[in-house]
Every structure is written in C-alpha cells, then in structure tokens.
Amino acid sequence: QVQLVESGGGLVQAGGSLRLSCAASGRTFSSYAMGWFRQAPGKEREFVAAISWSGGSTYYADSVKGRFTISRDNAKNTVYLQMNSLKPEDTAVYYCAAQGPPLRVDLNEYDYWGQGTQVTVSS
C-alpha cells in the first residue's frame, strides 16, 4: 500500500510555471508506475502524464505535450510534474496516482490516489 500527498499548487499567470510534487509513503514506491491527472470544475478527471517505475518511460496527454514534464526520484519517494507555459485551460485540481507496472493512462487502472492540489492559471 502507498499513501500520496501532493503539493506545489497555486495561482500563476498565463505563461508562468509551477512544479508539483507528490510524496509517497511506503518502501515499495520504486515498484509503482505513477500518473498525474487533473479535474476542472464541471469536467471529468483526465489523464495528464505518466511515468514508469524506473523513470525510463513517460507518456503525456496531447494537451500538455511539450509544456509539462513528469519525473521521479525514487530515493526521495517523490514524483514531480514540471508545468511550463501554463494556460488558463490548465486550471484544475491535480492528482497523483500510483499503481503497479506497467505505465498506465487509464484512471480506472490506478488504485492509489492523493488528495489533490489546486492549480489556477489567470489570463
């Protein structure tokens, strides 16, 4: 089992950057594939990015490709989401999630979720 806590959200102007962190508890963090998802008001939760247990493979939603970067530090039990060139449409609550390998993009395949962190991008 793993517990996840996100941080790093906030208010930023369009074009700005934020880095989200997701700290995981448990000794088996390095065995989990990790994902970031987001949910805007009135919309369904959607996939943003995912990374394999080793960090060797990543996958991005088309809407964030080239602007966001997912990474992980298994020594620190932490996964990151670097968000650059932010747009108002990136405004959402961002969630990290964990599941055993392989890398996954379907939120229904993740068993472990954090509580979320709010990201607001002003125009």
Side-chain angles (χ1 to χ4, degrees), residues 29-89:
F29 171 77
S30 61
S31 67
Y32 286 94
M34 301 294 296
W36 284 97
F37 294 79
R38 67 186 181 186
Q39 188 166 17
K43 295 188 177 181
E44 294 185 350
R45 194 171 299 189
E46 64 177 6
F47 170 77
V48 175
I51 189 167
S52 61
W53 66 271
S54 67
S57 297
T58 57
Y59 192 78
Y60 297 92
D62 287 343
S63 58
V64 306
K65 201 172 295 183
R67 301 188 297 122
F68 291 10
T69 302
I70 188 171
S71 61
R72 66 190 296 162
D73 185 339
N74 286 342
K76 296 183 177 180
N77 281 12
T78 302
V79 63
Y80 304 98
L81 186 68
Q82 177 67 43
M83 306 186 294
N84 298 329
S85 302
L86 282 161
K87 305 175 182 180
E89 51 263 45

Side-chain angles (χ1 to χ4, degrees), residues 8-18 20 38 40-41 67-68 83-94 117-123:
L11 174 64
V12 63
Q13 289 188 330
S17 297
L18 282 174
L20 305 184
R38 67 186 181 186
R67 301 188 297 122
F68 291 10
M83 306 186 294
N84 298 329
S85 302
L86 282 161
K87 305 175 182 180
E89 51 263 45
D90 294 318
T91 296
V93 177
Y94 283 71
T117 185
Q118 176 72 46
V119 171
T120 303
V121 184
S122 63
S123 57

